[in-house]
Amino acid sequence: MKITVIGGGPGGLYFALLTKKARPDFEIEVIEQNREGDTFGFGVVFSDETLDEFFAVDTESYDLIRDHFAYWQDIVVEKDGDRTIIGGNGFAGCSRFKLLEILCKRCRDVGVTLRFGTRVNAATVEEDFPDSDLIIAADGIGSAVRDARADAFGSSIEMRKNYFTWLGSTRPLDAFTFFFKETPHGHFCAHTYEYEAGKSTWVIECTPEAFKNCGFEQMSEEESARVLEQVFEKELAGHGLITNRSIWRQFPRVRCDVWAVGKTILLGDAKATAHWSIGSGTKLAMECAIGLSESVLENFGNRDGIITAYEDKRRTPVEIIQHAADVSLRWFEDMPRHFTKKRYEFAFALMSRSKSITWDNLALRDAGFLAKVEDEFYAALTPHYDTDSAADSGMCGASRPTPMFTPFRLRGMTLPNRVVVAPMAQYSATGGMPTDWHLMHYGARGVGGAGLVFTEMTCPSPDARITDYCPGIWNDAQEEVWAQIVDFIHENSGAKVCMQIGHAGRKGSTKHPKAGPDLPKSSGNWPLISASAIPYKAGVNQTPKAMDRDDMNRIKAEFVEATERAARAGFDMVELHSAHGYLIASFLSPLTNTRTDDYGGTAENRVRYPLEVFRAMRDAFPENRPISVRLSAWDWAAGGMTWADLKVIAQAFKDAGVDLINVSTGQTVPHQKPIYGRMYQVPFADFIRAEAGIPVMTVGNITLPEQINTILASSRADLVALARPHLNNPAFTRMAAAHYGVKDPHWPIQYKTGEMQAIREAEKDNEKARETARKLRPPRRHYVRAAD
């Protein structure tokens, strides 16, 4: 084969090296527009796992590089004069110049042709290299080859809001160190590490406010470096900052629908970028170079096979890293909000920001650091922590059972732990009546150890239902059955029970979901109402009537009656369902509320009717029992809820007396495009908790006990709800208690003999995990610096 590589960065060079090394008969040329030795930036950083992969695929280049590693185990967070150290993190830094020099040498050793100072015409690259079987576009984040055929590649570029500049210094560093600074001009963070003796990288980012207030846009590289030397005067300890094309930039988030068009294949940042806050750019480029080289070697002569194999090998790993990087960069964009966190809470939130490091993982990395996080957590519990109940529960005190098993109080209700069974539609009611299924379903999950059990959305009238199979609470018979379910849970567990009350609105009068989602009934449909006369799916669902004042009064009265019935049935708490595009939620989103009266337009107006319903419910429910509201914080669709809207709406409910906001997202419109991932809705709960100063509950792709502890310890939420994990295992919370060695006094006597066995088995599993961590933990001989 004849292969032309456009771009002489780490990705392009590594691909050329590996492929030529394996197939000396291939003709491979790398073309770089810059002169040899010209490079921007200073150091690059790799994790232990990445270094192991490089070691495996080309030992020779690894051996050349290793003497230039600056290796460290610690991450240091410096903020407000405190230096917080987190150990157990294996990383190595290396000079970018040295890395490229070594890769160039290795390429020449195996016979790759290198051509520097040559610019190609991106628009005619395939015509200009007609004899090449493949053209590898490794021309970086601003890829001209990609941009020349942007539509064909399906590329999209989103500029993120923070600004950053890449600088160097002679300031020695003994760890990867974050320096956080709050100045009169705004907030800064310096991401720093030593990449060789006496040389360190300083990537400094700031908020848009700080960038504007400092006037960086009008400054030269040298001028801005001098200003930053003043900002980080103490941290630089007498050393200066060095520039090298150190221009201020915003990070471009690049995605491409396809990575190959014709015989041109994208590699590295040209196809996808991952924010540098997780040290992933060079890593991704070189790992993708490995995957592309393997694909070429396995399928040479079959271009379609090469392309398919490349995407099969690398698309998912790239998207996983890109998602983690997206979450990480958002954390830094929210720096001002995080600055209010306590010392160890802040450091823990920073470490766990991308969700790959969790409570249990940090316990294995640095148990001493995690102990300090716990010390701070227990020393600064909020007023919602009930000390007396904690002592009575037997789950707190000296044993420190982790944040997950810390009680939480709302008004007169105290939960024994922070785990919640999320509301999950069962579609198993008969004529609005709960059945034996509901007794089994809710009873099992109450007995399973969760602190709070939610019912599915329960409707205040027959025409408020989604389907004929949804439960209600509009008559005495329903109230009586619900009371039996609540009584069973109270008698056999320590769990509290919340009834979620909601009205389907424009999403009502549909078939059972097994017939297909959101399909209208074949007959007997009831009229629908909503904030505005907009059908859920045009041409499928009926157009609802836009509610008038009489409708508002009637619906409010129905919610009040349902609330009163829930109180008599013994529910500890009720929730107003104002999410997922249902009736009350239809007033909140600008996508479903196009009214021109006092209930439409601004967020302040759109929240008016939901507040009317909430206040009426609050007046009808016993004062010592809490009421929550569920919100769709984000619509995942253009023109939907904004951060400003969310702040106004959350604050309005807080002012009206809501005790807890249950934060969800989406399901407002069928054309939504959510960005899923582990704990993907947590940032919205974190925002409401910080901006409105109110307890929040988060939910969404949370599956593990360690994720719950991570969310709570970093102050991103106060309660954590899980849905599918509780479907798969009603005793999820009891198994988690065993995992952390927590003895729960609320185990039913019938199941008590299972508790000690669960704890013993968990102890064995935990010891296996610790032993595995000990075996994997450095030092490793091939990571020793020459200076050592």
Side-chain angles (χ1 to χ4, degrees):
M1 294 187 74
K2 182 175 182 179
I3 303 173
T4 300
V5 180
I6 310 299
L13 290 170
Y14 208 46
F15 165 80
L17 161 63
L18 298 177
T19 309
K20 183 70 173 176
K21 174 185 171 184
R23 291 298 301 260
D25 56 319
F26 284 9
E27 182 181 343
I28 302 177
E29 181 180 41
V30 177
I31 301 174
E32 168 58 44
Q33 66 178 355
N34 294 318
R35 297 173 303 176
E36 185 168 4
D38 286 353
T39 183
F40 70 92
F42 298 90
V44 294
V45 63
F46 300 110
S47 67
D48 279 342
E49 292 79 6
T50 302
L51 291 171
D52 282 348
E53 189 170 3
F54 296 166
F55 183 75
V57 296
D58 188 55
T59 306
E60 294 89 342
S61 60
Y62 181 87
D63 285 341
L64 289 171
I65 295 170
R66 68 177 179 178
D67 287 341
H68 301 279
F69 281 160
Y71 186 74
W72 61 89
Q73 289 266 13
D74 295 338
I75 288 178
V76 171
V77 181
E78 290 208 9
K79 175 179 171 288
D80 299 332
D82 294 320
R83 176 178 166 88
T84 304
I85 302 173
I86 305 100
N89 304 281
F91 290 98
C94 176
S95 161
R96 179 177 171 85
F97 175 84
K98 181 59 66 174
L99 174 65
L100 292 175
E101 181 181 68
I102 289 170
L103 291 177
C104 285
K105 179 183 184 305
R106 284 289 296 140
C107 281
R108 288 192 173 102
D109 288 345
V110 299
V112 174
T113 301
L114 302 180
R115 188 149 46 114
F116 291 93
T118 303
R119 186 183 295 272
V120 302
N121 186 336
T124 60
V125 68
E126 293 198 4
E127 293 84 349
D128 294 344
F129 298 94
D131 297 333
S132 294
D133 297 295
L134 293 176
I135 296 171
I136 310 302
D139 52 341
I141 202 166
S143 172
V145 176
R146 177 198 66 222
D147 291 347
R149 304 167 75 180
D151 290 342
F153 285 113
S155 67
S156 62
I157 302 176
E158 176 191 357
M159 303 303 292
R160 300 303 302 191
K161 68 180 186 180
N162 273 8
Y163 289 82
F164 72 96
T165 180
W166 197 355
L167 299 145
S169 179
T170 55
R171 159 64 150 107
L173 295 165
D174 59 357
F176 190 110
T177 304
F178 293 98
F179 294 107
F180 288 93
K181 298 284 288 190
E182 182 176 9
T183 76
H185 294 300
H187 294 78
F188 292 81
C189 177
H191 308 240
T192 70
Y193 57 91
E194 185 173 293
Y195 59 89
E196 62 182 50
K199 295 181 181 179
S200 53
T201 287
W202 288 63
V203 182
I204 298 177
E205 75 171 308
C206 66
T207 60
E209 294 77 15
F211 181 79
K212 178 181 178 182
N213 293 338
C214 288
F216 287 128
E217 189 171 12
Q218 288 76 40
M219 295 182 191
S220 67
E221 289 181 49
E222 292 300 325
E223 288 172 335
S224 66
R226 303 294 81 80
V227 171
L228 291 172
E229 285 174 347
Q230 295 173 16
V231 173
F232 291 97
E233 181 180 8
K234 175 177 176 293
E235 290 75 16
L236 285 163
H239 295 262
L241 290 170
I242 305 166
T243 61
N244 179 7
R245 292 163 65 183
S246 303
I247 58 174
W248 284 99
R249 289 167 284 171
Q250 292 170 287
F251 181 76
R253 184 170 163 276
V254 176
R255 278 192 168 88
C256 292
D257 294 335
V258 296
W259 292 352
V261 175
K263 62 181 181 180
T264 302
I265 302 176
L266 301 179
L267 177 65
D269 284 344
K271 65 168 173 31
T273 57
H275 193 252
W276 41 265
S277 62
I278 62 170
S280 56
T282 305
K283 162 193 166 69
L284 265 186
M286 294 179 71
E287 288 179 343
C288 286
I290 296 170
L292 179 56
S293 179
E294 290 173 348
S295 300
V296 169
L297 297 172
E298 293 165 1
N299 299 276
F300 71 93
N302 178 1
R303 185 192 301 162
D304 290 341
I306 291 170
I307 293 168
T308 299
Y310 177 41
E311 292 231 12
D312 286 347
K313 289 174 184 289
R314 295 303 306 163
R315 173 71 73 168
T316 297
V318 166
E319 290 181 348
I320 289 172
I321 291 175
Q322 198 169 34
H323 175 73
D326 289 347
V327 177
S328 177
L329 76 84
R330 283 200 298 270
W331 193 93
F332 286 99
E333 288 176 342
D334 292 333
M335 268 195 292
R337 176 149 47 86
H338 295 301
F339 263 70
T340 62
K341 296 182 186 293
K342 298 178 290 295
R343 174 182 176 178
Y344 291 103
E345 180 181 78
F346 180 90
F348 181 80
L350 172 69
M351 291 295 296
S352 61
R353 66 191 182 279
S354 68
K355 302 179 292 190
S356 57
I357 296 177
T358 62
W359 181 271
D360 287 15
N361 184 269
L362 266 174
L364 295 173
R365 289 170 183 246
D366 191 338
F369 167 72
L370 197 65
K372 293 175 182 176
V373 175
E374 281 194 281
D375 288 343
E376 189 180 75
F377 177 84
Y378 287 109
L381 286 170
T382 72
H384 298 279
Y385 174 74
D386 190 323
T387 306
D388 294 336
S389 292
D392 294 341
S393 73
M395 296 172 68
C396 235
S399 62
R400 300 201 313 178
T402 78
M404 178 179 177
F405 290 101
T406 303
F408 192 74
R409 182 176 60 202
L410 293 169
R411 294 189 185 244
M413 179 187 77
T414 298
L415 306 178
N417 59 62
R418 309 293 184 95
V419 185
V420 179
V421 177
M424 295 174 279
Q426 298 297 295
Y427 300 109
S428 299
T430 302
M433 283 288 292
T435 62
D436 288 346
W437 176 266
H438 294 87
L439 175 61
M440 180 280 300
H441 172 71
Y442 294 116
R445 279 135 195 94
V447 170
L452 179 63
V453 177
F454 269 77
T455 70
E456 62 201 281
M457 186 174 85
T458 306
C459 304
S461 64
D463 62 357
R465 292 175 294 170
I466 307 168
T467 72
D468 289 320
Y469 307 95
C470 295
I473 188 165
W474 64 76
N475 61 41
D476 293 345
Q478 294 164 340
E479 180 183 322
E480 183 179 348
V481 175
W482 281 120
Q484 293 170 0
I485 293 172
V486 172
D487 288 346
F488 178 86
I489 295 173
H490 284 165
E491 290 170 8
N492 294 283
S493 76
K496 306 300 182 185
V497 196
C498 177
M499 170 167 279
Q500 185 186 76
I501 304 173
H503 190 298
R506 70 178 190 152
K507 297 174 78 173
S509 193
T510 62
K511 294 179 180 179
H512 193 289
K514 66 183 179 183
D518 310 309
L519 295 177
K521 294 171 59 179
S522 300
S523 61
N525 283 283
W526 53 81
L528 302 182
I529 56 174
S530 189
S532 299
I534 306 171
Y536 182 62
K537 291 181 179 178
V540 177
N541 303 104
Q542 62 178 291
T543 300
K545 172 192 174 186
M547 290 174 65
D548 58 25
R549 187 67 254 179
D550 289 342
D551 296 322
M552 292 181 182
N553 292 338
R554 174 176 62 84
I555 296 300
K556 180 170 64 175
E558 290 172 354
F559 271 88
V560 168
E561 182 183 354
T563 302
E564 292 171 341
R565 289 185 178 279
R568 291 197 296 268
F571 282 93
D572 305 282
M573 176 177 168
V574 294
E575 176 170 277
L576 171 62
H577 197 333
S578 190
H580 300 167
Y582 296 125
L583 181 63
I584 305 301
S586 70
F587 280 86
L588 296 177
S589 173
L591 297 175
T592 51
N593 183 345
T594 58
R595 300 172 74 101
T596 57
D597 61 5
D598 291 343
Y599 295 94
T602 65
E604 289 84 356
N605 282 355
R606 300 197 309 270
V607 75
R608 286 184 65 196
Y609 182 64
L611 289 177
E612 287 182 20
V613 176
F614 170 77
R615 290 192 181 102
M617 292 173 66
R618 179 67 274 175
D619 290 342
F621 203 55
E623 180 66 23
N624 67 332
R625 301 189 215 177
I627 300 184
S628 62
V629 61
R630 189 172 207 184
L631 297 179
S632 280
W634 207 249
D635 293 324
W636 302 111
M641 289 273 283
T642 67
W643 293 109
D645 289 344
L646 183 56
K647 183 175 180 179
V648 167
I649 290 167
Q651 187 65 50
F653 273 109
K654 177 189 177 183
D655 294 343
V658 78
D659 299 290
L660 175 82
I661 295 182
N662 178 359
V663 186
S664 186
T665 63
Q667 303 182 50
T668 304
V669 290
H671 59 275
Q672 66 173 11
K673 293 184 179 179
I675 301 174
Y676 294 112
R678 288 172 296 176
M679 304 180 279
Y680 73 104
Q681 295 179 149
V682 171
F684 302 99
D686 189 358
F687 175 85
I688 291 175
R689 189 179 191 273
E691 295 295 330
I694 187 170
V696 296
M697 181 169 78
T698 190
V699 66
N701 209 2
I702 300 165
T703 59
L704 300 172
E706 62 193 89
Q707 293 171 344
I708 298 173
N709 273 326
T710 301
I711 292 166
L712 297 172
S714 56
S715 292
R716 293 171 182 158
D718 301 280
L719 299 175
V720 180
L722 301 91
R724 291 176 181 85
H726 278 120
L727 292 180
N728 299 329
N729 181 7
F732 171 91
T733 310
R734 298 214 183 284
M735 300 308 295
H739 172 70
Y740 291 115
V742 175
K743 295 182 179 179
D744 182 353
H746 301 293
W747 273 68
I749 188 64
Q750 298 94 327
Y751 294 169
K752 193 66 178 175
T753 55
E755 181 180 26
M756 290 312 300
Q757 182 188 27
I759 291 177
R760 285 195 302 272
E761 293 301 317
E763 288 174 347
K764 293 177 185 176
D765 292 341
N766 291 340
E767 181 52 40
K768 288 179 182 177
R770 288 190 290 268
E771 181 60 28
T772 299
R774 284 193 290 269
K775 290 179 180 178
L776 294 177
R777 188 175 295 132
R780 302 181 183 183
R781 287 193 301 273
H782 54 279
Y783 291 160
V784 178
R785 284 172 41 185
D788 295 336

